């Protein structure tokens, strides 16, 4: 079953998509079993992606990127969703996303220092916001950065950090003024080799088992004040500015994975027989598949409209929250129905649908939960 593609993508976007698909088949799929066992992806994966311009496709050439647009970054997410091995990989290639924070808020020195290395896959980025006691309520973070001469001294901890083990540079949300609420939040660029930067456990997850997700601890960790990304107290703005586009990457991934799940399930039910007929020939199977196909096609139309808005600079918070809410909730329904149509096979690791099912569950939680999406949408009504 062919995914329905719209005219929003240029031939250049489609050429990029082809390169990316080949890369995932050649450089992710053959290794995913070993990386799942290890609970971590080998760093060579990032360097290979960097060499082909796949790490940060939207970063301009003067900073080492291939000079594409954000749609290229969205294609990365969509294709990771549409690749069975992507379900185990976690954010992997999407770790290039925070490069946009550095591009938009970094000083000239910060951009020069970090962006070429991130684009080359030499430096792996992560964003560390969530703490053991708070995730949705970002302004409640407690990790403190106290000014001491020309330095900040950081103490605190983070949890559930994607790439927390592999990352070389973390964009860490800290409190620089505990009394100032959201205006007391700042972002610091923190190298993982600084004394006092301690990696905790690589957490064991329900799905996406090849991608590392870790605890981080900061113990009297010193960084120069020049590590501030954006102004002191401006951390919320730094983190929120890119949020609509970032949320769309999660919607993209959910859509790609939904399309893949439906295609895999169609193959399965055409082959498998029960009571002397193919599973696809039962009326119930046909109705379920018709419903999913229709809902995915509607989701695709809304998503492609969002992509067009990205290109016009018109994607707002509310619309991207709608895309994330709808497409990730739809993905949940798609995965559940597709596992059901596989019968017992759907519960087995050797059938990709089982990993797509567990990977999908996180999409309604990270990047803002479905409930937080509803707040965002309701605010604009
Ligand atoms: C695999 C994985 C990777 C992650 N990667 C990262 C990362 O790289 N960096 C990072 O910083 N974080 C990361 N996270 C954390 C993730 O963003 C948070 O888990 C998420 O934002 C939810 O926060 P929480 O877990 O604290 O849940 P809570 O905020 O405690 O929410 C618990 C429940 O209460 C609901 N709730 C909360 N507030 C309200 C409200 N006002 N009204 C109604 N319901 C509400 C939520 O929707 C949810 O259902 C990751 C998490 C996972 C599992």
């Amino acid at each position: 079953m062919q995914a329905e593609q719209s005219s929003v993508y240029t031939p250049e976007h489609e050429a990029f998509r082809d390169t990316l698909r080949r890369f995932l088949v050649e450089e992710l799929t053959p290794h995913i079993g070993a990386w799942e066992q290890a609970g971590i992806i080998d760093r060579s994966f990032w360097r290979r992606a960097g060499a082909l311009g796949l790490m940060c496709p939207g970063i301009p050439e003067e900073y080492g990127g291939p000079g594409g647009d954000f749609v290229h970054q969205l294609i990365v997410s969509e294709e990771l969703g549409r690749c069975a091995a992507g379900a185990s990989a976690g954010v992997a290639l999407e770790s290039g996303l925070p490069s946009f924070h550095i591009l938009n808020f970094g000083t000239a020195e910060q951009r020069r220092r970090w962006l070429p290395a991130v684009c080359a896959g030499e430096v792996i980025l992560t964003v560390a916001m969530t703490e053991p006691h708070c995730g949705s309520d970002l302004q409640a973070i407690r990790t403190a950065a106290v000014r001491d001469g020309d330095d900040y001294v950081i103490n605190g901890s983070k949890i559930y950090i994607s790439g927390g083990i592999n990352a070389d540079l973390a964009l860490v949300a800290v409190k620089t003024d505990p009394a100032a609420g959201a205006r007391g939040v700042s972002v610091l660029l923190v190298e993982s080799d600084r004394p006092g930067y301690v990696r905790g456990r690589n957490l064991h997850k329900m799905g996406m088992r090849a991608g590392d997700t870790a605890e981080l601890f900061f113990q009297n960790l010193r960084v120069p004040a020049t590590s501030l990304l954006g102004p002191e107290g401006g951390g919320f703005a730094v983190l929120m500015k890119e949020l609509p586009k970032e949320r769309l990457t999660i919607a993209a991934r959910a859509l790609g994975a939904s399309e893949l799940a439906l295609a895999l399930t169609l193959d399965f039910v055409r082959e498998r027989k029960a009571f002397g007929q193919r599973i696809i020939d039962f009326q119930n199977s046909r109705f379920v598949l018709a419903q999913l196909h229709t809902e995915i096609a509607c989701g695709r139309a809304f998503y492609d409209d969002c992509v067009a808005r990205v290109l016009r600079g018109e994607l707002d918070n509310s619309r991207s929250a709608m895309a994330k809410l709808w497409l990730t909730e739809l993905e949940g329904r798609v995965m559940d129905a597709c596992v059901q149509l596989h019968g017992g096979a759907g519960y087995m690791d050797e059938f990709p649908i089982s990993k797509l099912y567990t990977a999908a569950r996180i999409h309604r939680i990270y990047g803002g939960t479905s409930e937080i999406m509803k707040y965002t949408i309701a605010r604009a009504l």
Side-chain angles (χ1 to χ4, degrees), residues 126-137 159-163 205 208 213 362 365-372 375:
T126 192
V127 179
M129 299 182 288
T130 305
E131 299 190 358
H133 70 284
C134 76
S136 304
D137 185 9
I159 198 164
Y160 311 144
I161 304 307
S162 299
K205 300 189 291 296
M208 299 198 311
T213 305
I362 189 57
I365 297 172
Y366 68 14
T369 64
S370 288
E371 292 72 30
I372 298 302
Y375 273 98

Side-chain angles (χ1 to χ4, degrees), residues 87-121:
S88 300
V91 299
L93 286 177
E94 289 158 309
S95 64
L97 255 179
S99 59
F100 286 97
H101 295 94
I102 299 177
L103 180 71
N104 291 329
F105 288 94
T107 60
E109 169 54 22
Q110 287 169 336
R111 289 184 204 168
R112 262 198 311 273
R113 177 161 178 213
W114 295 115
L115 291 179
V118 177
C119 293

Side-chain angles (χ1 to χ4, degrees), residues 212-253:
D212 58 309
T213 305
E215 301 167 312
L216 296 177
F217 301 95
F218 310 119
Q219 298 166 349
N220 291 320
L221 167 61
R222 267 181 191 273
V223 292
T226 50
S227 306
L228 256 185
L229 187 65
E232 184 177 293
F236 239 78
V238 170
L239 296 168
M240 296 303 141
K241 164 94 187 343
E242 291 298 315
L243 206 56
K245 287 193 279 182
E246 275 173 33
R247 286 184 172 154
L248 199 57
T249 65
I250 301 174
R253 196 155 178 158

Side-chain angles (χ1 to χ4, degrees), residues 176-192:
T176 38
D177 182 353
R183 291 213 172 85
V185 176
S186 303
V187 175
L188 288 167
L189 294 173
V190 183
E191 300 92 332
S192 61

Side-chain angles (χ1 to χ4, degrees), residues 242-315:
E242 291 298 315
L243 206 56
K245 287 193 279 182
E246 275 173 33
R247 286 184 172 154
L248 199 57
T249 65
I250 301 174
R253 196 155 178 158
L255 177 59
S258 298
E259 289 174 346
L260 172 66
L262 183 56
L264 290 170
T265 305
L266 279 167
D267 288 346
F268 184 89
V269 296
R270 284 190 178 115
E271 287 292 319
R272 178 91 181 163
K273 288 191 173 141
F275 299 95
Q277 68 183 74
R278 299 184 310 163
I279 302 293
I280 196 173
D281 293 326
F282 292 113
Q283 190 190 50
N284 176 67
S285 309
R286 299 180 76 75
F287 280 10
V288 169
L289 290 163
Q291 181 77 30
L292 297 182
H293 181 51
T294 305
E295 289 191 46
I296 291 171
C298 293
R300 157 76 51 199
F302 185 76
Y303 170 79
D304 284 345
D305 177 65
C306 289
V307 173
R309 284 169 192 268
V310 167
L311 285 172
R312 298 199 302 267
E314 287 172 9
L315 182 75

Side-chain angles (χ1 to χ4, degrees), residues 13 22 24 29 45 58 72 75-77 80 95 97 105 124 145 179 198 203 212 245 249 273 284 315 347:
H13 288 137
R22 271 201 309 279
L24 294 174
T29 305
F45 179 70
H72 292 90
I75 290 171
V76 169
S77 298
L80 269 174
S95 64
L97 255 179
F105 288 94
I124 300 174
V198 180
L203 298 159
D212 58 309
K245 287 193 279 182
T249 65
K273 288 191 173 141
N284 176 67
L315 182 75
Y347 203 70

